[in-house]
Amino acid sequence: MTDKWGKLVEERLQEAFAEGKFANLPGKGKPLDLEEDPLADPALWMARHILRNSGMSLPWVEERRRIEALLAEATAELARSWAAYCDSRGGEQPSPLAELRWQKAVGAFREQVSALNRRIRAYNLTVPHVRFQRCLIVVEREVERICK
């Protein structure tokens, strides 16, 4: 029975499209307003609406942004250190001083990632659903990515 109704509805929709009944609907060519969610809890919707209109967001969203910004800063600093290390080599073995500076930069990056991973663990406990959690940062993977 469901297949019969589904087929009938599909046929009617195709006929309506062919006749141009959907051609001049109000809002055509404009983005959908997804702010309205008829199934959302009205109190939760109001809270989100107030936060959005005041330029704020949920605390866990803000924390994710801070984590990502701090990671970007730490990674950029490590990339600058790697570039300086590569420049100092000039196609030869690096000087002991250049090697020491690079190792110091990697050590500082490890400390920053350790602090970020603590924040990520705390952040993961605050998100409303597991899909919003963030994976921990693997230092070796980040260093390898930068050194390519």
Side-chain angles (χ1 to χ4, degrees):
M1 187 79 154
T2 306
D3 291 335
K4 178 182 173 184
W5 286 109
K7 189 173 181 178
L8 178 64
V9 168
E10 183 64 31
E11 288 174 7
R12 296 279 170 95
L13 283 171
Q14 291 301 325
E15 289 172 11
F17 273 114
E19 294 171 6
K21 292 186 177 179
F22 295 109
N24 295 315
L25 292 175
K28 179 182 176 185
K30 296 178 184 172
L32 293 174
D33 180 13
L34 300 176
E35 175 126 355
E36 297 292 326
D37 182 0
L39 303 177
D41 175 18
L44 187 57
W45 179 88
M46 182 58 75
R48 281 194 202 125
H49 182 74
I50 291 169
L51 284 172
R52 189 175 297 124
N53 285 346
S54 64
M56 300 174 66
S57 64
L58 298 169
W60 62 269
V61 172
E62 292 297 321
E63 178 63 6
R64 173 73 180 241
R65 288 182 185 144
R66 283 191 292 273
I67 289 169
E68 297 303 332
L70 289 169
L71 177 59
E73 289 174 21
T75 304
E77 180 59 34
L78 187 64
R80 282 190 291 275
S81 296
W82 176 249
Y85 176 72
C86 291
D87 288 345
S88 72
R89 291 189 303 187
E92 301 174 11
Q93 284 292 98
S95 70
L97 181 59
E99 185 67 36
L100 181 64
R101 286 181 179 153
W102 170 243
Q103 293 304 321
K104 188 175 179 180
V106 171
F109 183 72
R110 283 184 191 285
E111 289 177 17
Q112 290 170 319
V113 167
S114 178
L116 283 172
N117 280 338
R118 282 192 297 276
R119 284 182 83 157
I120 290 169
R121 285 184 188 96
Y123 161 82
N124 286 345
L125 295 173
T126 65
V127 297
H129 193 275
V130 70
R131 71 178 178 201
F132 298 117
Q133 290 186 345
R134 194 205 188 283
C135 294
L136 296 176
I137 305 159
V138 179
V139 172
E140 291 74 19
R141 190 178 307 146
E142 293 297 319
V143 171
E144 182 179 313
R145 187 178 58 78
I146 287 170
C147 295
K148 285 186 176 182

